[in-house]
Amino acid sequence: MSEIALETESYGAIYLDSEVPCIIIRWFGFANSEQLHYLMNATLDYYIAECRHRPGPLGWIADSRGLGAIKPNDQQWLHTDWNPRTYAAGVRYIAIVEAESVFGKISAQQYVTNVMQSTEYTFYTRAVPTLEEAKEWLKEVLATAPNPN
């Protein structure tokens, strides 16, 4: 496995896969607001740091298999605060590994709906059933993608 663990918490972890290349946020279960904000912001910080010394674009995988519910106020924070900062940092391609729980599925679907309705930022997203498919899709799109950084 080409993933390098960057940070691990009880509710989720952050990895770097240089072969794709991409940053991966993996959820292990429900994260409260403070935990969700922390791990999302930490993943963005790792993304920014990695982009500083990478010549090409870097993808993003949200491994949502273990994702729990995301509360409406956190969805709003993602939509109005985190997503614009993430776009400004250069994130363009996000692969989402589909959640196993119904609450995780609803949360991921709401996130994608918010992304599609935004006029402030444009992410190219793809929901896939496996991590391997997420990596393959990112490899394909990143091979011809311009570097936004």
Side-chain angles (χ1 to χ4, degrees), residues 16-17 23 40 56 64 84 136 142 149:
L16 175 67
D17 187 327
I23 199 94
M40 295 298 287
S64 303
E136 286 305 313
L142 293 175
N149 296 312

Side-chain angles (χ1 to χ4, degrees), residues 49-70:
E50 182 64 21
C51 286
R52 286 190 184 123
H53 62 275
R54 176 167 298 283
L58 183 66
W60 186 289
I61 293 177
D63 185 346
S64 303
R65 289 175 290 182
L67 182 68
I70 297 178

Side-chain angles (χ1 to χ4, degrees), residues 53-146:
H53 62 275
R54 176 167 298 283
L58 183 66
W60 186 289
I61 293 177
D63 185 346
S64 303
R65 289 175 290 182
L67 182 68
I70 297 178
K71 297 185 293 184
N73 60 325
D74 292 324
Q75 287 281 3
Q76 185 65 21
W77 173 79
L78 288 166
H79 180 55
T80 60
D81 182 305
W82 189 83
N83 283 347
R85 289 187 292 118
T86 302
Y87 183 80
V91 175
R92 296 297 182 270
Y93 301 96
I94 303 174
I96 302 169
V97 182
E98 296 167 354
E100 294 171 351
S101 79
V102 68
F103 298 112
K105 288 178 194 277
I106 291 168
S107 295
Q109 288 169 352
Q110 183 60 54
Y111 176 81
V112 170
T113 297
N114 289 343
V115 165
M116 291 172 37
Q117 292 175 349
S118 175
T119 58
E120 293 180 51
Y121 50 82
T122 302
F123 296 130
Y124 302 96
T125 63
R126 167 126 349 141
V128 295
T130 68
L131 181 60
E132 292 73 26
E133 288 174 84
K135 290 180 179 184
E136 286 305 313
W137 177 71
L138 281 176
K139 282 180 187 177
E140 288 174 25
V141 298
L142 293 175
T144 59

